[in-house]
Amino acid sequence: MEASQGHIYSAFARWATASYLYAPWILLVALLTAVTCTIYISRNLGMNTDTTDMLAEHLPFRVNMKHYNKTFPQEMASLLLVLDAPTPEQAYAAAGLLSARLKEDPINFQDVYAPNVDSFFVHNSLLYESIPELERITDHMASAQPLIAHIARDPTLHTFASVLTGAIEELRKGRSLELGPLLNSLSATLNARLSGVPRILSWQTLFRGEPQKIRYQEFVMVKPKQDFTQLYPAERSISAIHVAATDIGLTNDSPVRMRITGEVALADEELNSSLRGMEYAGIITLVMVVTVLFFAMRTIRLILAVLLCLILGLILTAAFATAAIGHLNIISIAFAVLYIGLGADFAIHFLLRHQEVLESGLSAKGAMYKAGGVAGGALTACAITNAIGFYAFITTDYSGVAELGVISGTGMLISLLVTLTIGPALLRYIPKQPELKSGINFSLNRILEISFKWHKLTYVTFLVGLLAAVALLPQIKFDYNLLNMQDPKGKAVNTFKELLSEVENSPWYVAVLASNREETDLLVGNLTKLPEVKKVVTIFDFVPEEQEKKLPLIAEMALTTGPIMLSTPSSEKSEQVSAKQRKALYKLSTTLDRFITEQPDHPVLTSARTLRNSLATLFDRLNNENIKDRNKLLHSVDNDLLVTLPTSLRRMQNAIEASSTFSENDLPISLSSRWHSRAGEYKIAVYPAEDINDNEALKRFVRAIQQVAPQATGAPMVSLEAGEAVVQAFVQAFSLALVGIVIALLILLRSVKHTLLVLIPLLLSSIFIGVFTVLLNMPFNFANIIALPLLLGIGIDSSLHMVHRSRNDKLTSEALIQTSTVRAIFYSALTSLVAFSSLMFSSHQGTASMGILLTMGLTFTLICTLVILPVLLRVSTQKVKL
């Protein structure tokens, strides 16, 4: 039976006509509803940015993580403050000051922990050294003791230079002194000051006989208080950290640099990079969409109708989300993107079909009746199949996507309601305007006709492309690394990746819980054997071995060093001090010259020559400066060389006073509470042997540990398992969606042949999209996989409209491509394409990849629908005639 004679045709025809006739009341109700819903949304719709709620709680990795977070809550949702300094003293001091300041702010912080600042570890630091290292430090301190004691009695530049001059003299006379590290450090400090990049001398490294490194780091772990009702839950806490840092002198000009990273900072930065520039992109996109609609509709009247339908549909769908769920998450907020793409599709199809009917000469009422009848059935079929596709996501373990499915599925039904109710009503009152002729439609038809003229070439091309695509499909990948989705220029991301590359202290470690000491030892033994594991740490590693043997060595060091009293420099006029400093430095330089001449084969010769050259450069600078600048430069050199001496002496004196052993029970509660819970469980930290920023290394690391400890958790576990849960959720959802869509199509079309014709372009475009990700080395990730539901919806819509029009109007393929249906498909897809192409330029890599996937996916959908499908329809029609 023809559609024009069916009950469905009549029902939709009467629906559209009634909306047209009763337009004043319908538009008034629509306006009041929009205003009411907007107020309701603004007062009740929340935003949940907590990504841990995106996946179902019963999943094993979530169960493990939930238990771990309950056992050690300090580790959950934390910030990691990284302090970089040119000396260990500066890093230590900054960490101490910053942690103390943050602890004074319980409003913004739940917990603050600086691992190396605790006085317990300063006092017992030598016990953590190995016996050979402790012996080396003891010997070094014994040889350096006279030098240190002399400088401590008068910690000034001229005393330092005088003492060093005496040491060089002794060296020249044949005495064995270990002065190489000191001379090198002194030279490096002078060169740094003279080059305009000051670098303070570290006495702590000199005491230990170690070369001074370029950078030293300290860490402060902070658990901020978050407000998940806000767009940026930790914004207030992060701002408080910056204020505290500024207060203690950590500014852009200070030698100590603070960087913020960690789980919370990464989430905050990710959201910021996703939204950055969206307002400008939104304006550009709006202009492009309106331009495309203008070419599609060729009249402002119809463009306005499309936009008003879209706005009302979005408001109603958001109101449903508010009532049904109460909040949006970072996944379900994409309903707006999906609705714009598919809602515009509904409105464009109906309005262009009405325009086509109106051009045939019917009256306004008659045209609306016919347009409602012929378009209503196709739009309803599209709405039902799309809703089924989206509702299939409800059954997945990915609750973030499940909520998206509920909202978007209902949004499709709302879009149908708005299109067939508000669309006709708007057409009655929006003033008619002369239609502008466009050559684009003619060009589109000419291009599509090529596929018929060269149909054999079309078959061969797509068959070859399909075979090549199928061969590449097994190479489709999913990127489990959340860092790869973020802005690569982000400070938190760069800091975190830098820490990841330092495998020894990677912030991505696996945590395993053990119920007692025996289980802990067993797990440590098994985990240590794994080649994927670099090291395993437990609370017992914080209790040094062989303490009884180390204590006598520390006592010997204390006896050798003796009590060193640090004096305060006497106050003299700057001119007098400057004269003493220059005299002492000149004498040091002269002594170095004599040593270099008399000891040409000495092991310290290179270091001595380097320091002599540095002093010569300093003298040249001093000779060219006025008195004021000369005094200022010498004062700076004095500060560079001696400012860390008091701190280093105090720490050394504290360390050599260690006189007793300690056990696990003596460890500070701030440390022990992070490794041994109140319930008696022990934490085992397992560090990777590779940089697990690489997906394959991540897989190897996680799978190896799971073989030994299935209860393991931590960021590597969550990242991998969440990714696989997402993939499984989408596979499950798309499988259910495909089954549901097939059943719906069979019921609506009552034909296996036409159902296959609808599905073939969808399946072809899906294959080509998958291959596209392989060729561009752009794997699916947590962000761009969200594009698949939209591509599914547009693909079904486009094919269904083509098949429905061809079958109901009994059109040949040649006639079909001349209709408004083809124009509606083209311009609807083009509207979505220009709307989403701006996403490609986002600094957020996940959003950018979603924009690329949507752009190429829509392109493949258009090609398969407008090029392949008409040829298939032609073949199927010819076979029926035969």
Side-chain angles (χ1 to χ4, degrees):
M1 182 181 294
E2 296 184 359
S4 59
Q5 298 174 345
H7 295 292
I8 295 177
Y9 177 92
S10 300
F12 286 114
R14 287 195 295 270
W15 180 355
T17 304
S19 298
Y20 183 79
L21 295 176
Y22 297 99
W25 296 105
I26 288 175
L27 293 178
L28 178 61
V29 171
L31 178 61
L32 293 175
T33 302
V35 172
T36 303
C37 288
T38 301
I39 296 173
Y40 174 69
I41 293 166
S42 64
R43 293 179 177 177
N44 297 281
L45 183 61
M47 182 68 191
N48 182 11
T49 55
D50 188 354
T51 55
T52 59
D53 290 337
M54 295 295 108
L55 291 161
E57 292 188 358
H58 70 269
L59 294 172
F61 80 93
R62 290 232 36 209
V63 173
N64 293 340
M65 178 56 79
K66 187 175 181 180
H67 176 63
Y68 175 75
N69 288 336
K70 184 178 179 181
T71 307
F72 296 103
Q74 310 97 321
E75 306 290 333
M76 181 176 62
S78 61
L79 291 165
L80 181 62
L81 312 186
V82 182
L83 299 168
D84 301 301
T87 67
E89 293 94 336
Q90 289 171 298
Y92 174 83
L97 289 172
L98 183 60
S99 59
R101 189 62 178 267
L102 296 180
K103 287 177 181 178
E104 297 173 356
D105 186 5
I107 296 176
N108 290 306
F109 308 107
Q110 300 180 52
D111 183 71
V112 178
Y113 176 57
N116 297 327
V117 172
D118 196 296
S119 59
F120 175 88
F121 294 106
V122 175
H123 181 68
N124 294 288
S125 58
L126 293 174
L127 285 171
Y128 287 94
E129 302 290 349
S130 65
I131 290 179
E133 179 67 11
L134 199 55
E135 291 174 340
R136 187 193 65 79
I137 295 174
T138 301
D139 293 340
H140 179 76
M141 287 296 297
S143 62
Q145 194 276 340
L147 175 66
I148 297 171
H150 277 85
I151 297 173
R153 281 195 290 270
D154 184 20
T156 58
L157 175 59
H158 53 271
T159 300
F160 183 21
S162 298
V163 171
L164 188 56
T165 299
I168 297 295
E169 279 290 347
E170 292 297 319
L171 204 64
R172 184 179 65 83
K173 294 176 182 179
R175 184 176 175 182
S176 178
L177 294 174
E178 192 178 347
L179 293 180
L182 174 59
L183 299 182
N184 290 332
S185 297
L186 178 56
S187 177
T189 303
L190 290 175
N191 291 339
R193 168 59 62 180
L194 295 172
S195 64
V197 187
R199 183 168 179 260
I200 293 173
L201 177 66
S202 171
W203 283 88
Q204 181 177 318
T205 59
L206 290 177
F207 290 165
R208 297 175 61 89
E210 299 171 346
Q212 186 171 338
K213 297 186 293 186
I214 297 176
R215 184 186 66 175
Y216 293 85
Q217 284 185 335
E218 288 288 349
F219 302 98
V220 180
M221 299 173 62
V222 178
K223 184 176 177 63
K225 290 184 178 179
Q226 300 188 75
D227 182 2
F228 288 106
T229 63
Q230 300 298 314
L231 186 61
Y232 296 98
E235 182 177 22
R236 191 175 66 178
S237 298
I238 292 176
S239 297
I241 291 173
H242 285 294
V243 171
T246 302
D247 289 344
I248 66 169
L250 299 184
T251 62
N252 293 331
D253 299 328
S254 67
V256 182
R257 180 177 59 150
M258 182 190 72
R259 294 179 290 169
I260 304 177
T261 187
E263 178 185 348
V264 174
L266 290 169
D268 185 89
E269 192 170 87
E270 179 176 26
L271 185 58
N272 182 52
S273 65
S274 298
L275 300 178
R276 190 188 309 133
M278 291 299 287
E279 61 272 18
Y280 303 110
I283 295 172
I284 296 172
T285 298
L286 179 61
V287 172
M288 294 176 66
V289 167
V290 170
T291 303
V292 172
L293 288 175
F294 178 78
F295 284 111
M297 303 301 187
R298 291 171 288 175
T299 169
I300 301 298
R301 173 174 176 252
L302 296 183
I303 295 173
L304 188 59
V306 171
L307 295 178
L308 289 175
C309 286
L310 271 179
I311 293 170
L312 180 60
L314 274 173
I315 292 173
L316 294 177
T317 305
F320 167 78
T322 305
I325 299 174
H327 64 263
L328 297 175
N329 57 57
I330 61 173
I331 302 296
S332 63
I333 199 173
F335 89 88
V337 175
L338 299 177
Y339 188 92
I340 290 171
L342 295 170
D345 180 74
F346 281 33
I348 291 172
H349 273 282
F350 175 77
L351 295 173
L352 284 183
R353 192 62 181 271
H354 172 265
Q355 188 179 39
E356 181 184 64
V357 174
L358 194 62
E359 290 172 353
S360 66
L362 290 177
S363 64
K365 180 179 177 181
M368 187 59 67
Y369 184 90
K370 184 174 182 180
V374 296
L379 291 176
T380 301
C382 291
I384 291 173
T385 52
N386 274 310
I388 290 173
F390 286 125
Y391 285 147
F393 287 85
I394 298 174
T395 61
T396 68
D397 291 325
Y398 199 0
S399 57
V401 171
E403 291 177 5
L404 174 65
V406 172
I407 298 171
S408 298
T410 306
M412 294 302 96
L413 303 179
I414 290 173
S415 180
L416 176 67
L417 175 67
V418 170
T419 300
L420 295 179
T421 305
I422 306 303
L426 288 171
L427 290 178
R428 181 172 179 181
Y429 284 100
I430 297 178
K432 293 183 179 180
Q433 294 176 319
E435 182 180 315
L436 299 176
K437 298 298 180 182
S438 172
I440 294 181
N441 295 331
F442 175 75
S443 301
L444 175 63
N445 296 337
R446 293 292 298 272
I447 292 172
L448 295 179
E449 287 174 357
I450 296 176
S451 63
F452 297 121
K453 293 180 181 180
W454 301 90
H455 60 277
K456 291 184 179 179
L457 179 61
T458 303
Y459 295 150
V460 172
T461 301
F462 273 88
L463 182 59
V464 171
L466 182 61
L467 292 175
V470 171
L472 291 173
L473 281 179
Q475 299 182 38
I476 294 177
K477 296 179 180 179
F478 186 91
D479 187 356
Y480 303 97
N481 193 335
L482 293 169
L483 290 178
N484 291 339
M485 293 202 313
Q486 300 200 34
D487 182 0
K489 298 179 181 179
K491 294 180 180 178
V493 172
N494 281 328
T495 302
F496 202 84
K497 285 187 174 181
E498 177 188 303
L499 296 177
L500 281 179
S501 64
E502 299 171 3
V503 177
E504 187 72 21
N505 294 303
S506 173
W508 268 7
Y509 63 85
V510 165
V512 181
L513 297 186
S515 57
N516 52 55
R517 175 68 185 267
E518 291 73 21
E519 184 182 0
T520 301
D521 292 339
L522 179 62
L523 285 169
V524 168
N526 292 333
L527 290 167
T528 305
K529 296 175 183 177
L530 297 175
E532 295 83 3
V533 172
K534 175 71 173 181
K535 66 175 181 178
V536 180
V537 179
T538 69
I539 191 173
F540 308 112
D541 293 303
F542 293 94
V543 180
E545 297 178 346
E546 302 181 305
Q547 294 184 56
E548 294 81 1
K549 295 181 180 179
K550 295 175 183 177
L551 286 174
L553 292 174
I554 296 174
E556 179 185 345
M557 186 186 304
L559 183 63
T560 303
T561 305
I564 299 178
M565 302 302 294
L566 185 69
S567 302
T568 303
S570 59
S571 58
E572 295 182 86
K573 292 183 179 181
S574 58
E575 293 81 3
Q576 296 174 337
V577 172
S578 176
K580 284 185 178 181
Q581 290 170 335
R582 295 186 69 182
K583 182 178 180 182
L585 290 173
Y586 277 124
K587 187 174 182 181
L588 173 61
S589 180
T590 302
T591 304
L592 286 169
D593 282 333
R594 190 181 309 157
F595 170 77
I596 292 169
T597 303
E598 296 180 7
Q599 299 286 346
D601 299 323
H602 199 282
V604 185
L605 181 67
T606 302
S607 301
R609 183 178 286 117
T610 302
L611 177 57
R612 192 269 313 271
N613 293 337
S614 299
L615 288 170
T617 306
L618 174 63
F619 297 147
D620 289 340
R621 177 75 64 84
L622 291 172
N623 292 332
N624 292 322
E625 299 283 2
N626 56 47
I627 295 177
K628 182 178 179 181
D629 290 338
R630 185 187 307 157
N631 294 341
K632 183 178 178 181
L633 177 57
L634 287 170
H635 176 74
S636 298
V637 171
D638 187 314
N639 184 75
D640 291 345
L641 294 176
L642 297 166
V643 70
T644 67
L645 179 60
T647 302
S648 300
L649 279 175
R650 284 193 293 269
R651 292 192 68 180
M652 183 190 69
Q653 293 284 3
N654 193 352
I656 61 179
E657 289 173 1
S659 58
S660 61
T661 62
F662 63 90
S663 65
E664 176 197 341
N665 295 330
D666 300 314
L667 293 172
I669 188 66
S670 58
L671 171 75
S672 61
S673 62
R674 284 171 162 77
W675 295 90
H676 191 191
S677 73
R678 293 181 179 178
E681 290 186 275
Y682 290 91
K683 181 177 82 172
I684 304 170
V686 188
Y687 289 84
E690 301 176 87
D691 180 0
I692 56 176
N693 195 37
D694 174 72
N695 278 315
E696 294 304 317
L698 174 66
K699 278 186 181 180
R700 288 192 294 271
F701 180 57
V702 170
R703 296 303 179 218
I705 292 176
Q706 286 178 330
Q707 294 295 319
V708 176
Q711 75 275 26
T713 187
M717 297 290 180
V718 172
S719 181
L720 181 62
E721 296 293 347
E724 295 197 342
V726 169
V727 172
Q728 184 178 353
F730 271 88
V731 170
Q732 175 188 344
F734 274 100
S735 299
L736 290 174
L738 185 60
V739 172
I741 289 170
V742 169
I743 294 173
L745 289 174
L746 289 172
I747 294 173
L748 293 169
L749 300 177
R750 299 180 184 179
S751 167
V752 174
K753 180 185 76 173
H754 289 103
T755 297
L756 290 174
L757 287 171
V758 171
L759 293 175
I760 287 174
L762 176 66
L763 297 176
L764 285 174
S765 61
S766 299
I767 292 172
F768 291 139
I769 291 168
V771 171
F772 171 78
T773 65
V774 175
L775 295 177
L776 264 69
N777 193 26
M778 187 188 72
F780 287 108
N781 56 47
F782 291 92
N784 64 27
I785 200 169
I786 302 170
L788 297 181
L790 176 60
L791 296 175
L792 172 68
I794 291 179
I796 286 291
D797 276 8
S798 302
S799 299
L800 187 52
H801 279 297
M802 291 282 285
V803 173
H804 192 276
R805 185 71 184 269
S806 173
R807 188 181 73 159
N808 285 8
D809 291 1
K810 301 193 182 304
L811 297 175
T812 63
S813 295
E814 290 80 354
L816 179 62
I817 63 174
Q818 307 295 328
T819 65
S820 63
T821 298
V822 169
R823 294 204 313 274
I825 291 171
F826 175 76
Y827 285 112
S828 176
L830 191 59
T831 301
S832 298
L833 193 148
V834 298
F836 304 136
S837 60
S838 61
L839 298 177
M840 293 191 295
F841 305 103
S842 171
S843 58
H844 185 267
Q845 297 302 292
T847 303
S849 67
M850 181 167 66
I852 295 172
L853 195 63
L854 279 169
T855 300
M856 295 310 302
L858 288 167
T859 302
F860 286 129
T861 298
L862 267 180
I863 294 173
C864 292
T865 303
L866 298 183
V867 177
I868 300 299
L869 184 55
V871 174
L872 295 176
L873 286 169
R874 184 186 189 192
V875 172
S876 66
T877 304
Q878 289 175 347
K879 287 185 178 180
V880 170
K881 290 181 180 179
L882 291 175

